[in-house]
Amino acid sequence: MTQETTHRLFAETVLPYLDDVLTLAKWLTGSMSDAEDVTQEACVRALQALERGPATNPRAWLLTITRNTAFTWLKRNRPKSLVLTDDPEAAASGSDMALAPAPDAGLIAAADSAALEAALASLALPFREVLVMREINGLSYREIAEATDVPIGTIMSRLARARKLMLVALKERIG
Amino acid sequence: MSDVDGEKMLLLQAALDGELDAAGMLAFERALSEDAELAAEYGRLQALRAVLRALPKAVASGALRGQIEAMAPRRASPRVSQWLPMGMAACLAFLLGGGLSFLVLPHPPEAPMHELIADHTRGLLSGQPVDVVSSERHTVKPWFGTHSALSPDVVDLASDGFPLIGGRLDVIGVTPVPTLVYRHAQHIVSLSEVPDSVAHFAAGRSSIDGYAVLIWRQGQTSYVAISDAMPAELDALAAAFRKAMAAEQ
């Protein structure tokens, strides 16, 4: 692969998705300046990967790199933010959640973005991650499963749980 | 929300996410029409999805975008699409100007040496000759790794009278070039490591715009030292740098 080809690939497969990368990084790290660091590092990794050949599904591929870079970065720089549990589904206790009343659809639709962002930010990382990848980055179940290296069935149940948690968190904020 | 059981809940997610086939979707719609609780939950989740999707995306700042674009500069001749607006601007200027009173031509690229001199000068004038301040080479080297695609050799030469004060990214054309910044008495020395793929320099001493410049080569890399110190002091820096590099290997 010539340097010229790599540079062309980089311009075509990385630059158009820069905002997607930054958005995912922002939701994973919780801060814009951390997200910029992660974005730079992810792009360096992407460039190195492109030297070995083109990517078939550039957006999902790049977001996978971003996700992995963000976790490495958090581990190195913000270890306290990474309280990883083997079983996040079990960690989020289900019983109290089932009893929580959900806001109705009209209230949800009227929620302002500050309340939404605060609610989303309050979710534990595994839930926040699938919800952001699905709703904000628009990845499919299969793409999320590949990016997170988690079985597709687990992604489905995690997404279901994430949405419930989101409704509860939103309820607390919009009443 | 509490009445929608696990299996229906997953079905509901799949329906919402467009991951059901046609038959599955029909069955789901039938279930919706028979189950008010399920329909209410579906409505809530649809509303949630709509507001989440409407959240503003992060937008990369011009500075960030510029840094990332600079990781992989194009060196091929610019494409037609990039020249076209320029050509159109030239035509428009011609029409508006009512004649060939001036020509709109792209600026010729600056000579690489002048770009390095300009970056050195800018560092001195701004009082901020470095982007990363550190005398610790284990801090400076990784910084370059995350801010450019190049990883320069970094050695501290404090014992030779040239303490490392940090690093900076200079730019040749649109390509970032790692530059180490050393202090020597009251002088600042910029030492750029330029791969031949970016620009080729011939080894030698010169004086440009009042600065002493010393270039030496190693493998496919030119080392360009720029300072307002005396030329002999750059020789001392070069000797110390090469000695330290040899000790590394």
Side-chain angles (χ1 to χ4, degrees):
Chain A
M1 180 104 2
T2 67
Q3 199 174 28
E4 192 60 50
T5 318
T6 310
H7 291 169
R8 186 178 52 75
L9 283 175
F10 187 78
E12 287 169 1
T13 53
V14 176
L15 297 182
Y17 305 117
L18 207 49
D19 290 345
D20 291 274
V21 169
L22 188 67
T23 302
L24 178 60
K26 195 194 94 180
W27 280 114
L28 294 180
T29 61
S31 112
M32 193 57 162
S33 68
D34 290 355
E36 292 194 339
D37 283 359
V38 168
T39 298
Q40 288 203 338
E41 214 168 302
C43 289
V44 170
R45 287 198 200 182
L47 182 62
Q48 288 164 351
L50 285 173
E51 281 165 9
R52 297 190 291 273
T56 46
N57 179 354
R59 218 169 71 88
W61 164 82
L62 189 58
L63 290 172
T64 304
I65 292 179
T66 306
R67 187 258 180 195
N68 294 336
T69 307
F71 276 82
T72 319
W73 194 94
L74 285 171
K75 226 176 277 177
R76 197 170 63 227
N77 298 290
R78 306 273 184 274
K80 281 183 191 157
S81 74
L82 269 192
V83 186
L84 288 176
T85 53
D86 289 338
D87 188 358
E89 279 72 17
S93 135
S95 54
D96 52 334
M97 220 175 43
L99 298 173
D104 69 37
L107 266 180
I108 298 167
D112 61 84
S113 54
L116 268 167
E117 290 186 351
L120 184 52
S122 76
L123 299 195
L125 192 49
F127 297 111
R128 195 183 339 132
E129 170 180 63
V130 290
L131 204 54
V132 169
M133 284 183 160
R134 176 69 201 113
E135 302 292 26
I136 299 179
N137 293 123
L139 296 183
S140 69
Y141 287 179
R142 180 163 299 284
E143 288 167 338
I144 299 172
E146 282 168 8
T148 54
D149 202 17
V150 165
I152 208 164
T154 309
I155 293 300
M156 286 179 72
S157 61
R158 199 173 284 180
L159 201 50
R161 184 58 68 91
R163 284 175 167 142
K164 277 203 171 197
L165 288 168
M166 187 67 192
L167 288 181
V168 174
L170 206 52
K171 171 79 180 170
E172 285 166 11
R173 286 166 176 85
I174 60 178
Chain B
M1 147 172 202
S2 55
D3 294 343
V4 180
D5 65 32
E7 197 182 328
K8 272 189 186 166
M9 193 66 198
L10 288 185
L11 196 62
L12 203 144
Q13 309 294 320
L16 190 70
D17 290 317
E19 303 255 358
L20 283 184
D21 60 13
M25 201 61 202
L26 278 178
F28 175 71
E29 281 169 2
R30 208 160 39 240
L32 266 190
S33 67
E34 292 163 0
D35 186 338
E37 186 64 30
L38 184 68
E41 182 71 358
Y42 192 53
R44 279 191 287 270
L45 293 184
Q46 279 183 315
L48 178 64
R49 114 155 326 173
V51 288
L52 281 176
R53 291 197 163 181
L55 277 181
K57 276 198 177 183
V59 178
S61 66
L64 179 67
R65 187 169 283 276
Q67 281 166 351
I68 286 164
E69 282 172 356
M71 283 179 194
R74 290 167 173 279
R75 259 186 297 285
S77 56
R79 287 185 179 180
V80 174
S81 61
Q82 291 171 318
W83 285 92
L84 202 56
M86 247 186 245
M88 284 167 61
C91 290
L92 190 62
F94 182 79
L95 290 174
L96 292 177
L100 193 60
S101 51
F102 58 90
L103 277 171
V104 179
L105 289 174
H107 287 291
E110 291 267 344
M113 192 63 234
H114 283 109
E115 294 187 277
L116 291 181
I117 295 276
D119 286 334
H120 175 78
T121 309
R122 197 172 304 123
L124 293 181
L125 291 178
S126 67
Q128 288 185 318
V130 290
D131 294 330
V132 54
V133 186
S134 177
S135 60
E136 177 52 62
R137 67 196 187 95
H138 298 296
T139 302
V140 175
K141 190 175 169 72
W143 182 86
F144 281 116
T146 54
H147 288 77
S148 75
L150 300 163
S151 184
D153 299 315
V154 180
V155 287
D156 186 14
L157 307 173
S159 55
D160 298 287
F162 296 92
L164 178 68
I165 60 174
R168 175 177 84 221
L169 280 180
D170 286 351
V171 177
I172 291 181
V174 290
T175 308
V177 172
T179 296
L180 302 173
V181 182
Y182 293 96
R183 192 167 49 75
H184 181 62
Q186 300 306 309
H187 305 291
I188 296 290
V189 184
S190 295
L191 176 61
S192 304
E193 299 185 20
V194 186
D196 285 351
S197 57
V198 177
H200 185 279
F201 293 94
R205 283 182 195 80
S206 53
S207 170
I208 302 173
D209 296 344
Y211 294 110
V213 176
L214 175 66
I215 299 170
W216 73 92
R217 294 187 47 82
Q218 177 124 28
Q220 308 294 307
T221 304
S222 302
Y223 293 83
V224 181
I226 302 170
S227 180
D228 51 3
M230 299 300 286
E233 290 169 320
L234 289 186
D235 288 342
L237 170 87
F241 189 90
R242 297 172 101 149
K243 192 183 72 189
M245 283 298 300
E248 290 267 297
Q249 288 149 10

